[in-house]
């Protein structure tokens, strides 16, 4: 295992945080690709606004992935962020690839954002229990943005 650059945390805690971050990295990678799937294929009223929003959301998800992956590397672990690893490790439901209806995409994305957000919050609790305030803080930042993006995307649901 590469050298850790973290002081004040024992190896067992660092290993636990590496596993936790890699799990959330897999979900973040999966969710990023789901967002792009929707971005490429959605059709309907409000298309351009949602299409552009999803590019911004995908960028934020990639930033989250980068934060988590870099923290893994700082702790001496290996960030596992390939699509092949993510496909096997994600805990998110597979995204339907045949959708085109904008409202259906919005519903499917919000469902996955809520699931991802809940798992990130579980990670916050695990980091707190393990005594790693840095991972706790990193995941808190991710959590706030995931919730905000769920809201941004969900605000496009029709109120019929």
């Amino acid at each position: 295992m590469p050298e850790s650059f973290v002081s004040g945390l024992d190896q067992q805690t660092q290993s636990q945080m590496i596993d936790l971050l890699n799990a959330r990295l897999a979900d973040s990678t999966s969710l990023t690709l789901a967002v792009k799937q929707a971005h490429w294929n959605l059709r309907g009223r409000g298309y351009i606004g949602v299409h552009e929003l999803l590019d911004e959301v995908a960028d934020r998800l990639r930033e989250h992935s980068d934060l988590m992956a870099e923290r893994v590397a700082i702790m001496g672990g290996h960030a596992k962020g390939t699509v092949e690893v993510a496909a096997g490790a994600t805990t998110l439901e597979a995204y339907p690839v045949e959708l085109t209806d904008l409202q259906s995409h919005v519903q499917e994305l919000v469902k996955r954002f809520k699931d991802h957000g809940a798992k990130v919050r579980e990670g916050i609790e695990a980091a707190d229990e393990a005594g790693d305030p840095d991972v706790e803080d990193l995941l808190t930042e991710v959590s706030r943005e995931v919730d905000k993006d769920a809201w941004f995307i969900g605000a496009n649901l029709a109120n019929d």
Side-chain angles (χ1 to χ4, degrees):
M1 190 150 115
E3 177 183 0
S4 171
F5 294 91
V6 175
S7 59
L9 287 179
D10 61 52
Q11 186 57 46
Q12 180 180 351
T13 300
Q14 289 184 60
S15 291
Q16 181 185 358
M17 294 300 98
I18 288 167
D19 291 346
L20 184 153
L21 289 167
N22 270 320
R24 298 297 58 85
L25 177 59
D27 286 348
S28 185
T29 300
S30 176
L31 188 55
T32 302
L33 294 173
V35 167
K36 291 306 291 184
Q37 178 69 24
H39 168 84
W40 296 321
N41 290 292
L42 62 85
R43 305 285 183 272
R45 185 177 307 270
Y47 162 81
I48 195 64
V50 175
H51 179 80
E52 290 174 353
L53 170 64
L54 294 181
D55 259 345
E56 296 170 15
V57 169
D59 287 344
R60 279 189 289 278
L61 286 167
R62 281 189 289 270
E63 289 172 13
H64 302 163
S65 294
D66 200 46
L67 285 172
M68 291 182 279
E70 287 176 352
R71 186 67 187 166
V72 166
I74 290 166
M75 294 180 134
H78 294 282
K80 299 175 182 175
T82 66
V83 68
E84 295 83 5
V85 169
T90 187
T91 62
L92 301 180
E93 182 181 344
Y95 196 82
V97 296
E98 303 297 327
L99 293 179
T100 56
D101 176 66
L102 186 142
Q103 291 296 302
S104 296
H105 277 295
V106 167
Q107 290 170 345
E108 291 293 330
L109 288 172
V110 167
K111 179 169 56 171
R112 282 160 185 80
F113 269 81
K114 286 180 176 182
D115 186 22
H116 183 50
K119 290 169 182 162
V120 168
R121 277 185 288 287
E122 289 171 7
I124 294 167
E125 291 176 24
D128 178 44
E129 290 171 10
D132 188 338
D134 294 320
V135 170
E136 183 181 359
D137 182 59
L138 184 155
L139 291 176
T140 299
E141 178 182 344
V142 169
S143 174
R144 278 193 297 268
E145 290 190 355
V146 165
D147 289 349
K148 185 169 81 172
D149 283 333
W151 173 53
F152 281 172
I153 295 166
N156 290 283
L157 285 171
N159 293 329
D160 298 333

